[in-house]
Amino acid sequence: MESVKSLFREELIFMTDLQTQEEVFAYIGDTLLQKGLVKKGFTESILEREKNYPTGLDLNPVADDMPNVAIPHTETEYCNDKAVVFVKLDRNIPFRNMIEPDRELTVKYLFFIVNHEKNSQTNILSELIEFMTNREHMKKLESLKGKKEIYDFLTSAQ
């Protein structure tokens, strides 16, 4: 099985001060479209999917001081390739909770899954969740400041 760490690309590590889910999704969607990684309609699809199937993950059960994450993704038909896009937000933004959709939580990190292969989505998702629920991994991620540092860590930590 292909490891998730091979799906990270240095040019797909972002640090941003965008303030809403919609702004982040539009920015990432436009960037991925320009790079040919996704098809037209990706941003709309990911926004719609987020409404119906929230992707916020509460990491409080892992440790009280852990930042929450989200794993936005959409159907394979909107993707041309496989990649994981990492976004570190300057300030937390609200997402609905994946486990309790009626509950909102604030998120600091986003791991967008871009995947054009139907049969590998679950594996990517489970590997990402395994990484995120490791307290040491998330503490280390919190300490990293630059894109290169983050990329090097994400591609070696798992």
Side-chain angles (χ1 to χ4, degrees):
M1 179 178 78
E2 179 180 27
S3 171
V4 164
K5 67 182 171 184
S6 69
L7 299 179
F8 288 103
R9 301 179 191 177
E10 194 169 349
E11 73 272 9
L12 298 179
I13 305 289
F14 299 93
M15 301 167 84
T16 181
D17 63 352
L18 295 172
Q19 297 177 33
T20 68
Q21 206 179 94
E22 292 78 13
E23 288 174 337
V24 174
F25 284 12
Y27 175 74
I28 296 300
D30 289 348
T31 302
L32 295 176
L33 188 61
Q34 287 172 8
K35 292 181 178 292
L37 296 173
V38 299
K39 297 175 179 146
K40 207 166 166 52
F42 173 84
T43 301
E44 295 76 13
S45 175
I46 209 163
L47 280 164
E48 186 61 31
R49 191 173 198 299
E50 192 68 35
K51 275 187 219 163
N52 299 320
Y53 306 100
T55 64
L57 188 59
D58 182 1
L59 294 181
N60 256 346
V62 178
D64 290 340
D65 58 347
M66 298 257 289
N68 296 316
V69 299
I71 314 170
H73 54 282
T74 192
E75 284 69 30
T76 56
E77 67 197 68
Y78 293 100
C79 304
N80 292 325
D81 203 347
K82 266 171 93 168
V84 176
V85 179
F86 174 80
V87 179
K88 180 178 183 176
L89 300 166
D90 287 350
R91 60 182 82 92
N92 294 350
I93 61 173
F95 269 75
R96 287 187 12 248
N97 189 323
M98 176 188 299
I99 308 299
E100 299 174 61
D102 294 336
R103 217 177 107 235
E104 197 172 83
L105 51 93
T106 58
V107 163
K108 182 168 187 171
Y109 299 112
L110 300 152
F111 291 80
F112 284 81
I113 298 174
V114 175
N115 181 22
H116 66 303
E117 296 175 357
K118 285 190 188 294
N119 61 352
S120 62
Q121 191 90 327
T122 308
N123 294 336
I124 296 169
L125 200 52
S126 66
E127 267 194 69
L128 284 174
I129 290 172
E130 186 178 330
F131 172 85
M132 294 167 195
T133 55
N134 179 313
R135 188 173 190 272
E136 295 311 309
H137 285 164
M138 295 309 288
K139 277 195 145 332
K140 176 71 175 169
L141 199 52
E142 278 284 271
S143 73
L144 302 175
K145 303 293 180 221
K147 292 179 184 186
K148 174 93 172 94
E149 276 184 295
I150 292 169
Y151 172 75
D152 289 345
F153 174 67
L154 290 173
T155 56
S156 66
Q158 296 157 19

